[in-house]
Amino acid sequence: MTYQDILTNARTCIGPYCKACPVCNGRACSNQVPGPGAKGVGDTAIRNYDAWKRIRINLDTIAENTTPDTSFDFFGHTMKYPFFAGPVGAVKLHYGDKLDDVAYNDILVSACADAGIAAFTGDGTNPAVMQAACHSIAAKGGFGIPTVKPWDVNTLREKFELVQASGCFAVAMDIDAAGLPFLQNLQPPAGSKTVEELAQVIKNAGKPFIVKGIMTVNAARKALEAGASGIVVSNHGGRVLDQCPASAEVLYEIAQAVGGKMKIFVDGGIRTGVDIFKALCLGADGVLIARPYVTAVYGGGAEGVILYTEKLGAELADTMKMCGAAKLSDLSEKYLFRPSNPFLS
Ligand SMILES: Cc1cc2nc3c(=O)[nH]c(=O)nc-3n(C[C@H](O)[C@H](O)[C@H](O)COP(=O)(O)O)c2cc1C
């Protein structure tokens, strides 16, 4: 199987909205929701993708000729690479009937663990989704990050019992899901949380807690104050608020403010190992990649997930080698190109 085979297969079974494009850049699906598109005019996912492409990197091979070390410490557990499959929920609605969330998460969690990385799993109104995801994570020795919606405290208590039994290394909450239409006006209520409410949630979780959906320095500081161990700089792929900046546009200043005090992850339009390299140079510890993993599962099942993971890992290692970086902790802004040529500016 090749990556092209994955795309070709996916086009036969991935529903009417996703086109399994050669490059997943948000253009063909635009504002298609249901579907993998973005909210409103639909240009935030496109902006996410384009922003990484605006950053260029510095080639330098006058360096030690070693194989770069891409291994990554995730709360005391070693992963092969500093990237994760991102959480995607309601796959049947957005990507067609081939899979439901239970089957999707099971393939993804298991294949990612076999590939040496971990998957974040999505959550939904159906409790069976979180139950099954936690079961899949437990079966893989805790390799997987259950991602809960910002439910009320009592609903979260039930979810955290499952989370704790799964043996996972960390739990996440997409706090920005407050912007999803299906979460509004629910009983019990779900949505925004104050710092105090979030602190209580984090205490109840009993695991390193990652807050997903941070787009400002102020929000990052609030997550830190509430006791989060990590954040995901993310605008949910443009699906929760129209006209956000790209995640790449805000990552650097957020990393400057809270880097070293908590783990910083980022997602949105990251598609290659070169993009991962750029994100780490801007201050991220790791990245999440969501939509392309759906294409990998639909088009190639477990084999597709492993193939795509290896493709990303090889691209990251190649980029590190070509820039003279031996290990992830070497990566910094010094590898990113700062234009200084007055004739081109
Ligand atoms: C169809 C779809 C469903 C998603 N469901 C979830 C979810 O349940 N929980 C979550 O935290 N993020 C969810 N996301 C957001 C992704 O995890 C990710 O933040 C976003 O897609 C940006 O990453 P990408 O550009 O690599 O896709 C979803 C995204 C899509 C496209």
Side-chain angles (χ1 to χ4, degrees), residues 135-262:
H135 190 263
S136 304
I137 292 169
K140 283 294 174 182
F143 269 72
I145 302 97
T147 309
V148 295
K149 295 277 175 233
W151 309 112
D152 69 305
V153 169
N154 289 335
T155 311
L156 282 170
R157 268 214 188 91
E158 290 165 24
K159 305 256 177 193
F160 289 154
E161 279 174 23
L162 298 168
V163 163
Q164 282 157 13
S166 76
C168 63
F169 313 145
V171 58
M173 172 186 279
D174 52 333
I175 199 150
D176 58 356
L180 293 174
F182 91 90
L183 269 199
Q184 281 155 25
N185 308 318
L186 276 187
Q187 265 326 312
S192 306
K193 305 246 171 286
T194 65
V195 171
E196 293 71 28
E197 287 165 340
L198 185 59
Q200 187 58 52
V201 166
I202 292 175
K203 201 162 154 246
N204 293 347
K207 293 268 176 192
F209 198 95
I210 300 170
V211 181
K212 178 171 179 284
I214 297 296
M215 284 297 287
T216 65
V217 168
N218 195 26
R221 290 209 169 105
K222 285 192 271 186
L224 185 63
E225 189 188 337
S229 304
I231 52 172
V232 185
V233 175
S234 171
N235 54 32
H236 215 109
R239 293 170 69 81
V240 292
L241 176 66
D242 193 11
Q243 306 294 291
C244 283
S247 48
E249 290 176 295
V250 298
L251 170 61
Y252 182 76
E253 60 174 342
I254 292 175
Q256 292 286 309
V258 297
K261 299 176 188 149
M262 65 198 317

